[in-house]
Amino acid sequence: MTTKSMQNELAVKFRKLHIPGEPLVLTNVYDAATASIIAEHPSTKAIATASYAVAASQGIADEKLTLSQNLAAVRSIAAVLKAHSDSLPRIPFTVDIQDGYEDVAATIREIIALGAVGCNLEDFDIAKNRLRPIPQAVERIELAIQAAREAGVPDFVINARTDVLLKHDGENGGSIEDAVERGKAYLEAGACTVFVWGGSARGGVSKEEVQRLVEAFDGRLNVKMTLEEGYLTVPELRELGVARISLGPELYRAAMTAFKEKADAVLGYCG
């Protein structure tokens, strides 16, 4: 079996992990150290990055993360997931590529070359600070799928994110029905799942909204989980029938809180 055939087998394996009601849980990583920890956990089924945390770990804002900076992190993470320098990651590896950057097809080829079998691709145009029209967002998903097919990974997994619920440039965010419209279009274009980003300002997506989205997408929904009291838990999201749960930057924030607490405890003696 060729390397590309083996990589596509990983993609098939990753795709099959997305089961409505038995969700894949992704504890997103942001560097080689965190990837090593998560990869060694017996319950880990796949490795996923979170662009916010990747950017923050480099001291920059999420929207300022360049493709080269993102790829540098991906390269170091992929390296610790491989048994040998020339081998593939030992478990499925998916990358948060934000909006795909200027040339989404080229970005897909870059991450596939590093061993990825999936990505997050959002419909917010970072350079223009606006939500992409649905036809344009759909076209970029199709371009990504075509690039993956040409790169030898036809079963490449796209988790299509929509930011339609968020406020942009002073305008109010859209409705849950707007998210349904976009999500259905993205699934039709070939996305495996849809991630409806609710944003911290509105508290993510509510239980009722998750129920509506699960119904609309036949369960092919990714929900970002918040590690605080009052938010939906893994058992609750499983019961609601979602296919994928991710933590985004939650572990990064927890790590930085612990880091600061320990540093404060030591530096408190050095006044």
Side-chain angles (χ1 to χ4, degrees):
M1 186 180 293
T2 67
T3 299
K4 285 303 176 187
S5 295
M6 293 170 64
Q7 190 166 0
N8 195 60
E9 286 296 316
L10 274 177
V12 171
K13 179 179 180 180
F14 185 45
R15 184 176 290 270
K16 288 180 178 178
L17 292 173
H18 295 75
I19 305 171
E22 297 179 33
L24 169 66
V25 179
L26 296 169
T27 46
N28 303 72
V29 304
Y30 48 91
D31 61 13
T34 53
S36 294
I37 292 170
I38 297 302
E40 291 170 4
H41 195 285
S43 294
T44 295
K45 296 179 180 179
I47 295 290
T49 67
S51 70
Y52 180 100
V54 168
S57 69
Q58 297 181 46
I60 55 179
D62 190 16
E63 64 273 14
K64 299 295 184 182
L65 183 69
T66 66
L67 175 58
S68 61
Q69 289 168 324
N70 200 348
L71 289 176
V74 172
R75 191 172 291 107
S76 65
I77 291 167
V80 302
L81 299 178
K82 298 176 180 179
H84 307 287
S85 60
D86 59 345
S87 63
L88 292 169
R90 57 187 183 275
I91 56 176
F93 178 36
T94 183
V95 177
D96 185 346
I97 59 170
Q98 302 182 304
D99 67 351
Y101 302 95
E102 185 175 355
D103 186 339
V104 66
T107 300
I108 294 296
R109 289 192 291 269
E110 291 268 20
I111 64 170
I112 285 177
L114 293 174
V117 295
C119 75
N120 266 35
L121 179 60
E122 60 193 60
D123 60 6
F124 186 74
D125 187 333
I126 294 174
K128 295 183 179 178
N129 193 36
R130 66 172 177 83
L131 200 66
R132 295 183 190 276
I134 293 177
Q136 186 182 98
V138 164
E139 180 184 25
R140 289 174 70 80
I141 291 171
E142 292 172 342
L143 285 171
I145 291 171
Q146 180 62 28
R149 186 179 297 115
E150 292 172 355
V153 189
D155 290 288
F156 189 84
V157 176
I158 294 179
N159 184 40
R161 166 176 153 172
T162 180
D163 285 16
V164 71
L165 297 182
L166 307 185
K167 291 183 178 181
H168 298 299
D169 200 22
E171 296 184 5
N172 290 331
S175 68
I176 202 68
E177 292 308 317
D178 292 324
V180 167
E181 179 186 13
R182 283 179 173 266
K184 284 185 173 181
Y186 302 165
L187 291 170
E188 180 67 24
C192 176
T193 47
V194 174
F195 171 28
V196 178
W197 174 224
S200 56
R202 71 189 297 277
V205 287
S206 68
K207 180 178 180 180
E208 293 72 26
E209 289 171 335
V210 171
Q211 289 174 320
R212 174 69 184 102
L213 294 166
V214 165
E215 176 188 351
F217 303 155
D218 295 324
R220 293 176 290 172
L221 177 69
N222 174 200
V223 174
K224 186 261 178 186
M225 202 173 114
T226 300
L227 299 180
E228 296 178 16
E229 290 292 330
Y231 288 88
L232 293 168
T233 63
V234 170
E236 289 170 333
L237 289 168
R238 181 185 296 121
E239 182 67 23
L240 288 169
V242 308
R244 174 165 165 162
I245 299 168
S246 54
L247 291 185
E250 292 291 311
L251 292 181
Y252 168 80
R253 288 171 175 155
M256 292 303 101
T257 297
F259 183 92
K260 185 177 184 302
E261 288 174 353
K262 293 297 184 183
D264 287 345
V266 173
L267 295 173
Y269 295 101
C270 305

